[in-house]
Amino acid sequence: MIRIAIIGGGISGLSGAHTLEPHRRAGTAEYVLYESSPHLGGVLRTEHIQNCVVEAGPDSFITEKPWAADLCRALGLGDQLIGSNDADRKTYIVVRGRLIPMPDGLMFMVPTKILPAGLSPLFSWTTKLRMAQELFHPPRPAAEDESVAQMVERHYGSEMVDRLADPLLSGIYGGEAANLSVRAVLPRFAEMERTHGSLGRAMLAARKKMPKAANKPAPPLFTSLKNGMQQLVEAIVPQLNQSSLLTNTAVQSIQREAIGWTVSAYPDGRTTGLQSAHFDAVIVAVPTHAAARMLAVAGPELAAELAAIAYSSSITVVLGYDREVRQNLPPGFGFLVPRSEGRRLLAATFVHNKFPHRAPEDRALLRCFFAAKNAENIWQLSDQEIVNLVREELQQILGLQAEPQFARVYKWKSAMAQYGVGHLERLDRIERLRQQLPGLALAGNGYRGIGVPDCVRSGQQAAKQLLVI
Ligand SMILES: Cc1cc2nc3c(=O)[nH]c(=O)nc-3n(C[C@H](O)[C@H](O)[C@H](O)COP(=O)(O)OP(=O)(O)OC[C@H]3O[C@@H](n4cnc5c(N)ncnc54)[C@H](O)[C@@H]3O)c2cc1C
């Protein structure tokens, strides 16, 4: 029987435990999951306020990546999965204080329909000319990694970086296009440039190749759960061995022994009285900055590589309004704010439009997002001050003056990994160093995908890796 410690009770660690559970029942494995906070689920947290489903962390996951939805189905939540209301999908970009809809045919930031992009007030004539010229870009041999901003600028110019690439990536990674690795964050783009040169032509070619499902509507872009993302946590936890789940237990170090590993942690939320336990193997499923601290002695070189992966902090603010606000808000999913607008708010989602079951018909639910420097600059403010600031920005952008019926502020310190230029090379070095420490597996959002589906997969893979040692 193999004894495994899982460090971190977010969705990555829980997915690892769920993969180990049948082996525990069969008597071939045993696990203990350590979670420093009182809650399991990490950043997956949902509140139910005045009949609204309020997401503190992620609100959904992308449908194209199957691992989270597959896990939901395995947990019996298949009938609870809901898709985004894509028929009403419209996202605005704030340009000089006005809301401009993103034109039809944009695939991420790549225009695939000439007319809507050509007529859109979102782009200047210079950018429109660049879009036309882009179609003639020759294939480019694979070069060094570069930032998303560098690549997009080479194809479409700096306005495209400012108005689309940067706001879209801020909404996903909480980071800047100038710092994020194109190979790690948009690997398809790097490949399309190598094979086709033009991203526009490559997108069109890919679309032509897609099998046409007769009379079948396209799957929704985003998937969520009727009762919110925490429903996934509430379904997974009861299926695990309860006495294996140690909340309020912060791991301080993981030490390699002649055989196996020693995990040392403070139990019951204490900061004294370190307790140690022995395991054959360990899954470290915490953000890489926390993993680096635990592994500082066991693997100093590995710890240095893990510590070098940057993380950004974010703040979500959810506001509930009455029927009148709902009637007067523009249609669509919400808006993104380019950095050049000089605002603090990065994005706002009109949650009541994006998903069904999120708010009663007579309610509007807005979710506002701050990240990186914009979040750090307001971190010290009280919740009320942050709500006031959000209301000021919403008034200026949407003309929204109404008093919210409720407001909640959620702060997430260093929770979103930033895949910087050279991230994939760093992952290769991490993997080599990890292999020198038998019985160690790594999972979480610092490696090969920040979204919930990638985290589910990383936890599952880490568990499978250890089951074969
Ligand atoms: C505000 C926000 C919005 C997001 N929106 C989306 C979205 O819409 N769609 C999407 O797919 N993804 C989204 N993401 C990303 C995604 O939710 C996360 O990347 C993913 O949930 C991370 O899961 P995890 O288990 O790897 O990490 P976490 O959820 O961070 O869990 C790690 C756990 O480890 C614990 N821990 C830390 N240190 C220790 C220690 N020393 N000892 C024991 N335990 C420890 C922590 O308390 C925590 O519970 C969002 C993230 C944030 C923050």
Side-chain angles (χ1 to χ4, degrees), residues 91-301:
T91 303
Y92 302 88
I93 307 288
V94 178
V95 179
R96 292 188 202 96
R98 281 177 51 223
L99 293 183
I100 310 280
M102 280 169 60
D104 194 24
L106 275 183
M107 295 183 81
F108 203 55
M109 70 208 75
V110 176
T112 60
K113 288 186 184 169
I114 294 168
L115 210 58
L119 294 175
S120 169
L122 184 57
F123 309 115
S124 65
W125 284 109
T126 314
T127 302
K128 288 173 185 170
L129 191 65
R130 292 287 300 262
M131 288 177 190
Q133 288 168 340
E134 202 275 340
L135 294 169
F136 301 98
H137 267 230
R140 191 170 189 264
E144 298 264 283
D145 192 13
E146 61 182 339
S147 72
V148 173
Q150 280 169 319
M151 185 202 230
V152 174
E153 188 162 350
R154 195 169 54 250
H155 284 258
Y156 298 107
S158 56
E159 189 181 76
M160 190 65 112
V161 176
D162 175 58
R163 298 216 173 143
L164 279 183
D166 200 50
L168 284 168
L169 289 172
S170 293
I172 302 170
Y173 287 87
E176 295 186 22
N179 298 331
L180 295 170
S181 149
V182 79
R183 283 202 189 157
V185 168
L186 296 172
R188 262 178 78 201
F189 278 31
E191 181 58 15
M192 287 189 302
E193 188 179 52
R194 197 182 63 75
T195 53
H196 287 76
S198 158
L199 304 177
R201 270 191 295 122
M203 282 286 188
L204 290 170
R207 208 162 53 190
K208 259 195 208 144
K209 269 197 208 149
M210 273 191 332
K212 296 245 175 325
N215 298 328
K216 228 173 139 193
L221 203 54
F222 302 103
T223 299
S224 192
L225 286 155
K226 268 185 198 161
N227 275 319
M229 293 294 289
Q230 196 175 310
Q231 205 178 349
L232 172 54
V233 179
E234 283 161 8
I236 205 168
V237 171
Q239 298 209 8
L240 304 177
N241 183 41
Q242 299 307 296
S243 62
S244 302
L245 307 175
L246 306 182
T247 49
N248 277 318
T249 307
V251 171
Q252 298 303 299
S253 70
I254 327 167
Q255 198 45 56
R256 181 138 173 72
E257 306 295 339
I259 299 172
W261 293 80
T262 295
V263 172
S264 302
Y266 288 122
D268 310 320
R270 294 202 307 255
T271 50
T272 54
L274 209 56
Q275 287 185 1
S276 298
H278 187 266
F279 295 90
D280 301 305
V282 187
I283 298 173
V284 178
V286 295
T288 58
H289 48 84
R293 284 193 294 276
M294 291 169 202
L295 285 160
V297 175
E301 254 190 282

